[in-house]
Amino acid sequence: MALTKTPICDFGKIAVDFKLKSTNNQLISLNDIKGINGTLIMFICNHCPYVKAIIKELVEDCKTLKKDGVKTVAIMSNDTKNYPEDSFDKMIEFAKNNNFGDLNYLLDETQEIAKKYGAVCTPDFFGYNSKLELQYRGRMRELKDLKPIKNGDSDLKLAMQKIAKTQKGPQEQIPSMGCNIKWFN
């Protein structure tokens, strides 16, 4: 597990289209998950302790953001051969165990989408406005010893609600940090 931090937000960068298989065995594209007021694309995996530390709150935030016109999608891009705990079957189990509901969890089998987005770690968040212009590349919330520091709403939720209302993300953003994406050898 190599701790990795996300780069600074590249404001205005346009989201890259994709068509990936979901844990519901459907092909999902960017257009399918685009929100009227914003879109959150997150790179996560099943085994990362950083993801596990925030997943319950993250799922709840995604459900709240849906009411604000922000749709979300989770993408798993790790090498499943060397990290079998991130296999497609385990993704289905992870989504069920964490009450994903209608939150799509997609497999990036070739890692092409993670590379096109410039994803570096899990979790890695990409928050877009209604024109699919990048406005947020920050953390979910502060963690200490892999435990969330609870003091109000998460940075991610507040940023995405701001984007939903104003179409602009916060100028000050604290990078997300987590395990590096497990690239193919």
Side-chain angles (χ1 to χ4, degrees):
M1 165 176 98
L3 178 63
T4 305
K5 290 184 180 182
T6 56
I8 295 168
C9 182
D10 187 3
F11 284 96
K13 186 173 182 182
I14 301 297
V16 177
D17 196 13
F18 53 80
K19 189 170 268 194
L20 299 170
K21 185 167 108 174
S22 77
T23 53
N24 298 325
N25 279 315
Q26 297 175 309
L27 280 179
I28 304 293
S29 71
L30 176 60
N31 199 49
D32 294 329
I33 56 93
K34 183 179 182 281
I36 191 163
N37 292 327
T39 304
L40 174 61
I41 298 170
M42 54 191 148
F43 290 83
I44 66 169
C45 72
N46 308 331
H47 85 275
C48 173
Y50 293 90
V51 172
K52 287 180 178 180
I54 63 164
I55 194 65
K56 295 214 182 310
E57 182 182 12
L58 180 59
V59 169
E60 287 307 310
D61 281 0
C62 290
K63 289 175 182 175
T64 299
L65 290 169
K66 188 176 180 181
K67 296 172 192 164
D68 295 317
V70 175
K71 287 191 179 177
T72 56
V73 68
I75 299 174
M76 203 299 296
S77 300
N78 280 352
D79 170 359
T80 58
K81 185 178 178 202
N82 289 311
Y83 297 87
E85 58 268 52
D86 289 331
S87 72
F88 189 69
D89 287 340
K90 295 284 186 186
M91 286 173 61
I92 293 169
E93 200 176 293
F94 187 78
K96 184 180 177 194
N97 291 342
N98 290 290
N99 302 311
F100 276 31
D102 63 358
L103 171 63
N104 285 296
Y105 193 18
L106 312 179
L107 176 61
D108 179 16
E109 232 172 335
T110 65
Q111 300 184 323
E112 176 188 347
I113 301 308
K115 288 177 182 171
K116 285 184 176 179
Y117 274 83
V120 296
C121 63
T122 56
D124 199 345
F125 301 104
F126 294 79
Y128 295 90
N129 63 19
S130 64
K131 296 178 189 159
L132 294 174
E133 300 165 332
L134 187 63
Q135 296 295 316
Y136 189 70
R137 181 92 188 265
R139 69 181 182 185
M140 167 87 185
R141 72 163 57 249
E142 182 180 1
L143 296 178
K144 183 175 176 142
D145 300 323
L146 290 174
K147 300 222 179 335
I149 305 296
K150 296 278 190 170
N151 54 358
D153 287 330
S154 71
D155 296 3
L156 178 65
K157 181 179 171 185
L158 293 171
M160 292 310 300
Q161 286 176 326
K162 177 179 172 43
I163 292 166
K165 286 184 181 103
T166 69
Q167 295 300 295
K168 297 282 183 198
Q171 289 301 304
E172 296 290 318
Q173 300 181 12
I174 299 169
S176 183
M177 62 170 65
C179 300
N180 62 307
I181 289 187
K182 308 306 184 233
W183 302 108
F184 298 131
N185 294 330

